[in-house]
Amino acid sequence: MSTTVLGLFTQIENTAEMVRPLEEMSVLHKDISLISVAPYPEGTLFHDEDHSPMWAVALVCGIVGFFAAVVLAGWTQWHININVGGKPTWSVPPMVVICYEFTLAGAVLGTFFSMLWWARLPDWNELAYDREISKSKIGLLVRCENEEKAAKVEELMKQFKASSIKRGRDDF
Amino acid sequence: MENTQDNKERRNRSRAEIPSLEELRGIAARKSLEPSNDVDLSMPEAWLNQYSLSPMFFTTKAYFIFTIALSSVVAWAVACWGYQIYNGMGVTNLRPPIFWGMYIATFVFWVGVSHSGTIVSSLLRLTKANWRRPVLRGAEAMTAFSLMVAGMFPLIHVGRVWRIYYMFPLPNQRFLWPNYRSPLAWDMMAISVYLTASMIFLYTGLLPDIALARDLCPRNNWRKKYLTILSLGWRGTHRQWHVYEKASTFLAVFVLLIAPSVHTIVSWDFAMSITPGWHTTIFGPYFVVGAIYSGVGGVITLMVILRWVFGLDQIIRIMHLYNLAKLELVMAILWAYFYFVEFITSWYAHNPVEWRIWVYQWERFPHLLLIMLGGTIFAIIALSFHKVRTSPGWLFCITILINVGMYIERYLIVVPVLTHRDNAYTWTDYVPSFVEASIAAGAIAYFLLLYAIFAKILPIVTVADIREGKIISGDVRIGNRVLRVHADVEEPL
Amino acid sequence: MKSFNSNTEYHKWAMVIDLDKCNGCGACTIACQAENNIAVVGEKMAREKRTMSWLRVERYFEGEWPELRVVFLPMPCQQCGKAPCEPVCPVFATYHNPDGLNAMVYNRCMGVRFCANNCPYGVRKFNWFNSKWEAPLEQQLNPDVSIREVGVMEKCTFCMQRIRRGKDKAKDEGRGVKDGEVVSACAQSCPTKAITFGYLDDPESKVAELSKSKRRHRLLEEHGLDPSVIYLKGGA
């Protein structure tokens, strides 16, 4: 049963300096995370690899949208083959317009939902968090496999001037 | 007795976790900021938070009066619409061959206004303009709400609104399906896609701010519940921020691609017909440029109103108005160019039907033409002055004039073309009826009402974005001058 | 495309109007009004140009008083071969039927009125209000033609109900429709026989014969809409 330690800091430098000792304690990068009210640039703690191929989702959803439009507009024109103003059965301009809109609609929806998926939202569990973070603090999350390690991490956080330390669950 | 007094005080204090507006302004005044600077990021975080959220939590009496007045205008417009549905379209002054009138002009106007919100917001996001932060939310909300207003007008305009579902591809027994060859069907698709995309764009931008408001919201406040739900449990972990920033960039690109297509398609409602005066290739770009022109004007107007109504002058600084005004100046010049191009081609080519429409416009609506053309020229001249670009009052007047001009422009696109069609026997005149004018006025009230309610229930200021600005910026002293610098977060190439 | 009636090989109805024979009496307008249950809107609406007549007689004046000449132009729906009103309807309420007519489906219409904007002839009419017939006038309504609701478009159908009846009769007798068998209400009532109605692609028909006249022209041909109403003018 793993437990997560959340330390609240006032200075970002303190959290950054804590990374080295944590590494020495053999805490993996994937078990460390920052909680902040605004984004810190990539590499504030350490360089992380990107695991979310959002472009692929957007592309696939865009393609799905495109073909949905082809099916919708194309099939309609074929199925309801009524002569309107002598236009050909397969009128291209309407297809172009609707395909364009649906492609982008697919891409937008794909991006949005994949963002929620990778950001693990919505999440109604009581996870390690503190309202102070929204006010002015920066939180450092460290996931530990056992109690012993968690105690050590807490000790380390105190050394680095954490204003308060909490325990909680997490699944980041 | 004393005990209860004490309790009351304590309760009051806990409720007033957020200091009053006067207190906030007091802090700002003590800092005696230079008015043209960007948001003062040396302010403590608590100040930034609370100042930004103050429109939500502090309601003045003026706000109530304003909202009640707007609601009554909207109620009147709804009553007019009910009257129109009950009696038929005859209560408008439409008559053959003027089958589209003020409703369509209003529709095009509001779709136009909706454009700049997302275009400005996504352009500034993509170019990483650091001054963008306070402008984003107001602009994005403008897009969403003006589209909601615009979306009402096809409903108001059709003869049988109770049959409007024929427009949607709803599965039914006999497979009666919409006709995708009609520009109106494209229009319906484009507007729904744009509304969806701009809502998602707005909501994505809102997510961290909702979480922040959720945390700062006093426990017994009625907003706490829905803020908790809408925040989806956002915490702002490093991973969430990473995904979020990527998604914002993607969405900005997509929305930037959708927006011009929407107004092009709206213009094709006219341009794809065979009606002289409408059937021109210039209409697509003409409408898009007009939309951005009118929309940037709308953004400036709203920013000035936000400064006045909610006292946000420490967040939405003169500098932001100044930058937007420069953008508006560029758009005004482009727009004047389009007027010129449109006029000179029909003047020289002298297609008799088209020329007749110009002559008719000039004879029938000289005052409207004067406001429309004079307004644009006046805007170009006025916006060239530094003093005007930095004065909220001036900018307010000019952008209102611009949007009045743009409304007239839409009206003059729809009406004179229809009153003077190919068949001279049918020529006639059109003045909107009281019902039409009421509903058009109701649209303005409805938009402002939606905006006012939005400012009360969700953060109107992009707090998280401003706090990001605080993280990545600092001051550099060069001699006796102190300059603000922003760290450029570079993408790995 | 197959015709409604397989006994008939023709599928292009047309009307020839001889303007030199027209004296502007307006009998065609009245006949149309009676045949097609067209609402009588009253003086106020008429002043607002909201008359519902599917066929109107347009008056044009040539010259200055006293050398004044009035020219009449009966204007029904031109039943264009490439009708601009059809593709712009978002709900297929107006379409091209196999008889080459530009048909209107009243129940499908939701009244966006794009069709009317795209019609250069201005022959489409809109139901601004619900139409009323005071007793006993409702007794004279034509049972073959539906009454249109408020909020829908309507226009000249080339007396679709008469075409149907003629074709049904011909089918029952196992033959094609003979020329002159189906006559629109306006053509029937025209005292000077200025209006002729029939199959244009039937080489034997009167319409086909007249349409080859040197006096022929069609309205607003620059739009390329292939209208089915042919006007004769100049000469005689």
Side-chain angles (χ1 to χ4, degrees), chain B residues 39-346:
Chain B
V39 184
D40 182 20
L41 296 172
S42 61
M43 288 288 188
E45 283 92 344
W47 183 88
L48 280 176
N49 285 345
Q50 290 160 358
Y51 192 76
S52 310
L53 293 181
S54 62
M56 254 175 103
F57 293 100
F58 290 98
T59 312
T60 54
K61 203 186 258 171
Y63 175 86
F64 275 116
I65 295 169
F66 190 58
T67 321
I68 288 167
L70 289 177
S71 312
S72 46
V73 177
V74 173
W76 171 248
V78 170
C80 283
W81 187 21
Y83 174 74
Q84 177 187 299
I85 293 172
Y86 185 78
N87 284 294
M89 284 308 289
V91 301
T92 65
N93 264 350
L94 296 169
R95 62 194 58 184
I98 306 141
F99 288 94
W100 288 3
M102 199 176 198
Y103 292 151
I104 294 296
T106 317
F107 166 75
V108 178
F109 174 77
W110 285 106
V111 176
V113 167
S114 82
H115 266 61
S116 285
T118 42
I119 288 183
V120 165
S121 163
S122 48
L123 266 182
L124 295 182
R125 274 176 200 275
L126 291 174
T127 52
K128 293 188 179 159
N130 268 302
W131 61 272
R132 72 179 187 271
R133 301 169 197 281
V135 180
L136 299 180
R137 179 69 31 77
E140 287 161 20
M142 186 187 82
T143 292
F145 297 138
S146 51
L147 263 184
M148 282 163 74
V149 173
M152 290 301 294
F153 275 86
L155 304 185
I156 295 168
H157 164 82
V158 298
R160 298 202 300 173
V161 67
W162 53 95
R163 291 279 183 259
I164 196 74
Y165 60 88
Y166 287 168
M167 279 285 277
F168 310 123
L170 297 172
N172 59 62
Q173 203 180 6
R174 282 180 288 172
F175 255 129
L176 293 170
W177 214 243
N179 175 14
Y180 291 111
R181 294 188 189 101
S182 166
L184 285 183
W186 314 345
D187 200 1
M188 200 270 293
M189 290 287 171
I191 299 271
S192 3
V193 167
Y194 190 38
L195 186 59
T196 315
S198 59
M199 283 293 195
I200 285 178
F201 194 49
L202 174 66
Y203 180 66
T204 309
L206 266 168
L207 198 53
D209 290 341
I210 295 176
L212 189 137
R214 167 201 69 192
D215 290 347
L216 296 183
C217 182
R219 194 159 297 140
N220 46 12
N221 196 300
W222 57 275
R223 295 174 179 87
K224 188 88 175 172
K225 206 162 231 168
Y226 71 77
L227 286 173
T228 310
I229 295 169
L230 285 179
S231 70
L232 303 177
W234 172 273
R235 292 184 299 156
T237 61
H238 194 64
R239 175 203 182 82
Q240 280 177 339
W241 276 118
H242 178 75
V243 177
Y244 173 85
E245 290 208 304
K246 207 178 204 177
S248 314
T249 313
F250 276 51
L251 287 177
V253 173
F254 296 142
V255 167
L256 202 54
L257 287 171
I258 295 174
S261 83
V262 174
H263 219 58
T264 306
I265 290 169
V266 168
S267 83
W268 286 349
D269 283 351
F270 303 102
M272 291 284 178
S273 75
I274 59 162
T275 312
W278 280 359
H279 181 66
T280 65
T281 49
I282 204 177
F283 259 34
Y286 184 69
F287 271 51
V288 172
V289 168
I292 299 173
Y293 175 56
S294 119
V296 175
V299 173
I300 296 175
T301 314
L302 283 172
M303 292 293 143
V304 175
I305 294 178
L306 285 179
R307 279 167 62 96
W308 286 340
V309 175
F310 295 117
L312 286 177
D313 48 341
Q314 298 300 320
I315 295 278
I316 302 162
R317 307 298 302 270
I318 297 293
M319 177 227 188
H320 303 110
L321 299 179
Y322 176 76
N323 284 346
L324 287 171
K326 280 195 283 188
L327 183 58
E328 183 68 341
L329 175 59
V330 173
M331 294 319 297
I333 291 168
L334 255 179
W335 183 239
Y337 165 73
F338 266 94
Y339 273 145
F340 172 73
V341 165
E342 196 208 14
F343 179 71
I344 206 161
T345 45
S346 41

Side-chain angles (χ1 to χ4, degrees), chain C residues 3-233:
Chain C
S3 175
F4 282 141
N5 185 335
S6 48
N7 282 338
T8 304
E9 58 201 292
Y10 311 120
H11 53 265
K12 179 82 178 164
W13 290 97
M15 192 180 273
V16 176
I17 302 178
D18 193 333
L19 295 181
D20 294 326
K21 281 189 188 169
C22 177
N23 62 7
C25 67
C28 48
T29 307
I30 303 302
C32 177
Q33 196 107 14
E35 171 72 19
N36 292 301
N37 297 341
I38 297 169
V40 178
V41 291
E43 194 187 334
K44 183 175 166 288
M45 290 272 279
R47 223 184 294 124
E48 289 171 355
K49 290 204 168 193
R50 283 175 175 176
T51 51
M52 298 302 290
S53 0
W54 287 358
L55 193 166
R56 61 169 183 262
V57 181
E58 297 182 353
R59 278 170 303 171
Y60 294 97
F61 300 95
E62 278 179 6
E64 293 286 321
W65 179 264
E67 276 83 44
L68 194 69
R69 212 177 105 93
V70 185
V71 181
F72 299 103
L73 181 80
M75 177 74 92
C77 171
Q78 306 288 308
Q79 307 288 355
C80 306
K82 288 177 183 160
C85 52
E86 289 166 359
V88 297
C89 177
V91 292
F92 286 119
T94 180
Y95 74 105
H96 217 67
N97 81 5
D99 272 334
L101 297 179
N102 175 227
M104 189 61 217
V105 189
Y106 305 123
N107 285 338
R108 185 74 179 148
C109 177
M110 54 180 210
V112 294
R113 311 195 282 286
F114 200 168
C115 50
N117 275 347
N118 215 19
C119 173
Y121 305 101
V123 292
R124 286 185 158 262
K125 300 288 172 174
F126 185 72
N127 283 275
W128 303 101
F129 294 110
N130 258 323
S131 37
K132 280 193 284 287
W133 283 269
E134 278 167 32
L137 288 177
E138 86 279 1
Q139 303 285 336
Q140 52 90 47
L141 291 176
N142 185 350
D144 291 341
V145 181
S146 53
I147 306 284
R148 280 78 61 182
E149 198 190 8
V150 62
V152 305
M153 294 301 305
E154 59 182 63
K155 64 165 195 75
C156 163
T157 60
F158 265 18
C159 287
M160 177 92 75
Q161 65 283 4
R162 291 182 174 216
I163 293 174
R164 290 293 318 151
R165 187 176 291 163
K167 289 175 96 177
D168 283 352
K169 189 161 171 263
K171 190 185 175 194
D172 290 347
E173 291 167 11
R175 58 177 172 85
V177 180
K178 285 184 282 192
D179 187 39
E181 192 178 0
V182 174
V183 181
S184 67
C186 49
Q188 189 183 17
S189 65
C190 181
T192 59
K193 300 281 171 248
I195 305 175
T196 319
F197 185 72
Y199 273 124
L200 187 64
D201 44 0
D202 176 358
E204 309 283 293
S205 74
K206 195 136 183 275
V207 170
E209 188 195 324
L210 287 171
S211 74
K212 287 178 199 118
S213 160
K214 276 180 187 162
R215 297 158 60 221
R216 68 163 274 161
H217 72 278
R218 295 186 292 183
L219 295 179
L220 301 175
E221 276 212 273
E222 69 270 23
H223 285 307
L225 303 174
D226 187 19
S228 301
V229 178
I230 295 154
Y231 290 88
L232 305 179
K233 171 107 177 98

Side-chain angles (χ1 to χ4, degrees), chain B residues 373-480:
Chain B
L373 299 172
T376 305
I377 293 166
F378 178 70
I380 292 174
I381 295 169
L383 288 174
S384 306
F385 289 95
H386 186 273
K387 209 159 228 166
V388 173
R389 287 200 301 266
T390 52
S391 146
W394 265 106
L395 285 176
F396 182 80
C397 297
I398 289 172
T399 50
I400 291 285
L401 179 67
I402 284 172
N403 269 319
V404 168
M406 287 309 293
Y407 189 86
I408 292 171
E409 202 269 332
R410 270 63 190 258
Y411 185 81
L412 293 184
I413 282 179
V414 177
V415 173
V417 168
L418 288 182
T419 51
H420 287 64
R421 299 288 306 275
D422 315 59
N423 186 344
Y425 183 79
T426 60
W427 286 2
T428 177
D429 196 16
Y430 163 78
V431 178
S433 75
F434 184 65
V435 172
E436 289 173 279
S438 299
I439 291 177
I444 302 172
Y446 180 46
F447 171 77
L448 290 174
L449 186 65
L450 285 174
Y451 213 87
I453 293 172
F454 175 78
K456 238 354 98 183
I457 60 175
L458 289 169
I460 191 78
V461 175
T462 43
V463 205
D465 256 307
I466 291 172
R467 299 247 334 240
E468 186 198 359
K470 188 173 164 63
I471 290 169
I472 62 162
S473 52
D475 290 343
V476 169
R477 177 178 286 279
I478 302 168
N480 284 334

Side-chain angles (χ1 to χ4, degrees), chain A residues 132-149:
Chain A
E132 283 297 315
I133 291 165
S134 278
K135 288 179 185 159
S136 57
K137 295 282 193 287
I138 300 149
L140 186 71
L141 286 170
V142 182
R143 183 164 46 196
C144 311
E145 302 88 59
N146 48 45
E147 194 53 42
E148 202 181 324
K149 200 163 177 182

